[in-house]
Amino acid sequence: MKFSLAAATALFAGAAVAQNVAIAHPPAGASMTSGQNFTVQLNKANSLSPSSDIAVVIGLNSCTSGACPDPSQEIGYVLYSGPFSPSQSDDPALPPNQNFTVQIPPAYQGGQYQIACAHFSLIGVSICAP
Ligand SMILES: *[C@@H]1O[C@H](CO)[C@@H](O)[C@H](O)[C@H]1NC(C)=O
Ligand SMILES: *[C@@H]1O[C@H](CO)[C@@H](O)[C@H](O)[C@H]1NC(C)=O
């Protein structure tokens, strides 16, 4: 399933968007296997009002010949799409965050992949920081 962000972004044309959500887990370079369930942890910048969150889409892109697609253009295979409601965890060192358990499609073969994420809030749509 491919999903293009271009149309959604256009809905919010003119809105200044900043990267206010970061993919905190898995770490860059993590290695996983087909069919594996894993946690995607999204951290939200502390300064923003929690009420502005609407949803996130987390996608998986294949990086062929070492080059990953631009996540602002292509979200890839959708691993999760739904509400985003970050909360303060027990660890006070962490900003408000939410963990999503997602599964790598069993048919996916070895290679390099990229997790991309789009954050929908009242401010607009932005791509999560890597
Ligand atoms: C992975 O997640 C899927 C869907 O949530 C579940 O059906 C499956 O049992 C999980 N597999 C493992 C190994 O935990
Ligand atoms: C998300 O998972 C991380 C790592 O296990 C944990 O430190 C954090 O508290 C969790 N976040 C929430 C909101 O429970």
Side-chain angles (χ1 to χ4, degrees), residues 41 87-90 94 97-99:
Q41 182 189 336
S87 58
Q88 188 59 56
S89 71
D90 297 340
L94 287 176
N97 66 85
Q98 188 172 359
N99 293 312

Side-chain angles (χ1 to χ4, degrees), residues 18-109:
Q19 290 186 328
N20 48 34
V21 172
I23 302 170
H25 189 89
S31 124
M32 291 181 250
T33 54
S34 300
Q36 182 181 333
N37 291 349
F38 68 102
T39 300
V40 176
Q41 182 189 336
L42 299 182
N43 283 358
K44 178 174 172 158
N46 256 324
S47 56
L48 294 141
S49 143
S51 59
S52 68
D53 295 307
I54 299 174
V56 285
V57 178
I58 301 169
L60 186 67
N61 274 318
S62 172
C63 307
T64 41
S65 51
C68 300
D70 177 352
S72 70
Q73 300 300 316
E74 195 160 324
I75 199 92
Y77 175 87
V78 175
L79 295 169
Y80 172 84
S81 154
F84 180 48
S85 49
S87 58
Q88 188 59 56
S89 71
D90 297 340
D91 184 347
L94 287 176
N97 66 85
Q98 188 172 359
N99 293 312
F100 301 90
T101 300
V102 297
Q103 185 180 28
I104 304 203
Y108 274 42
Q109 299 301 310

Side-chain angles (χ1 to χ4, degrees), residues 112-130:
Q112 293 199 310
Y113 293 88
Q114 176 189 59
I115 292 169
C117 149
H119 172 228
F120 295 76
S121 70
L122 293 180
I123 304 166
V125 182
S126 65
I127 301 305
C128 305

